[in-house]
Amino acid sequence: MSDVLRHAIEDNTISVLYQPIFDVNTKRITSLDTIVRVHDAKGRTLAPYFVTAEAHRLNMSVQLTLDVLETCVKDMTAFRQVAPELDIVDICMNGSELGASIFHERLEQLTHEQPQLRFGLQLGSHAIHVAHDEVDDEVADLVALPNVKLGLTNVGTTYSEVAAFAHLPLDFARFDKTVVRDFRTPRAKQIMQRTLDISRDNDAFHVVFDGVETLDQVEFIRSIGGTLAEGTLLSNAMNANEFLMRLETMGTSLPEAAPRQAE
């Protein structure tokens, strides 16, 4: 599997899926989340967590993230020809990119070449550790770039989000799917409510509920004042061609049946 990943990064044969993020009140796509896909010779998909961790071990994280970034820019250009209001794409990082000058330089270049796009850089648990201990200045330089936003992913799992909120200049956070799935449990409710309370203290801070699969989850999100959601109830992840076709046929709105059910 390591060789498969290495060759995919070296040959730039990775693919990117796009998961729409919806506003549950307006029922329109607000932005896109990205999922990196790598397949072996038999067509089996490598698990995303393996791709992230193994790319770091192979010292190839920067190259992987740069490849994803270039793919997203190309695809977003095509998407915006159909839906010009679509301007935000989120990319997950594992932290190695934060100290890499080549990543900073290319991202800065893109913000000038593509001023109409906004890039959401998502940090997971490993990236939080790196950012906290090693590259505070680099993080500050990144978020100082025009149209670059810093986010926290997998919120509610194994590390202290509260510490990250206090330490990092975050613009958005994404709840882990397991937290959203357990929305009826007191602990999950507390985590989500606390994060929303933090977001209300910062008008620019947005919270995404990942893994939305049922109408009950949508109603819960609305009941606690949440608005942004992604998951299979709203839309599956799609490759660029599939998503472009969706935009051409439905635009950025949910299918007509979904809003009526979610009322």
Side-chain angles (χ1 to χ4, degrees), residues 37-261:
R37 278 289 183 263
V38 179
H39 300 91
D40 65 15
K42 295 183 179 180
R44 294 172 297 192
T45 302
L46 303 190
Y49 68 84
F50 172 82
V51 171
T52 301
E54 193 64 7
H56 175 69
R57 191 186 72 81
L58 295 171
N59 197 29
M60 301 183 81
S61 294
V62 175
Q63 185 176 348
L64 174 63
T65 304
L66 284 172
D67 289 345
V68 172
L69 190 61
E70 300 293 347
T71 299
C72 289
V73 169
K74 175 178 66 69
D75 292 340
M76 287 292 288
T77 299
F79 300 158
R80 284 175 50 80
Q81 291 180 0
V82 180
E85 71 275 22
L86 196 58
D87 62 357
I88 307 173
V89 61
D90 296 338
I91 298 169
C92 194
M93 307 191 305
N94 71 14
S96 303
E97 307 88 346
L98 297 173
S101 60
I102 188 174
F103 177 75
H104 286 250
E105 291 166 4
R106 182 54 180 150
L107 189 59
E108 182 175 9
Q109 185 179 18
L110 284 172
T111 61
H112 293 290
E113 292 176 353
Q114 307 286 340
Q116 73 281 7
L117 295 182
R118 287 184 281 172
F119 303 97
L121 306 180
Q122 302 181 87
L123 305 177
S125 56
H126 175 76
I128 291 297
H129 172 75
V130 173
H132 184 74
D133 292 342
E134 301 174 19
V135 288
D136 288 350
D137 292 341
E138 287 83 350
V139 170
D141 289 343
L142 275 180
V143 298
L145 293 175
N147 293 340
V148 171
K149 306 298 181 183
L150 195 67
L152 186 64
T153 190
N154 303 123
V155 170
T157 52
T158 59
Y159 56 90
S160 174
E161 298 84 31
V162 174
F165 293 146
H167 175 69
L168 295 169
L170 297 171
D171 293 286
F172 66 97
R174 174 173 280 99
F175 289 121
D176 189 83
K177 293 179 181 180
T178 59
V179 177
V180 179
R181 186 178 302 127
D182 294 339
F183 72 98
R184 289 188 175 90
T185 67
R187 177 182 177 277
K189 287 181 180 179
Q190 182 182 27
I191 289 170
M192 289 186 276
Q193 187 67 70
R194 179 182 61 185
T195 305
L196 281 176
D197 290 342
I198 293 173
S199 77
R200 293 187 182 105
D201 294 333
N202 182 347
D203 292 337
F205 189 93
H206 304 287
V207 179
V208 180
F209 293 76
D210 193 4
V212 175
E213 301 170 347
T214 69
L215 294 174
D216 287 345
Q217 288 170 310
V218 172
E219 291 309 316
F220 169 76
I221 292 168
R222 287 173 172 160
S223 72
I224 63 173
T227 57
L228 302 179
E230 63 177 294
T232 55
L233 177 70
L234 306 171
S235 174
N236 291 321
M238 294 166 274
N239 64 35
N241 289 336
E242 291 170 330
F243 185 65
L244 186 58
M245 184 179 299
R246 184 204 188 283
L247 288 177
E248 291 172 341
T249 56
M250 292 186 287
T252 56
S253 297
L254 276 169
E256 191 62 27
R260 286 200 299 267
Q261 291 175 347

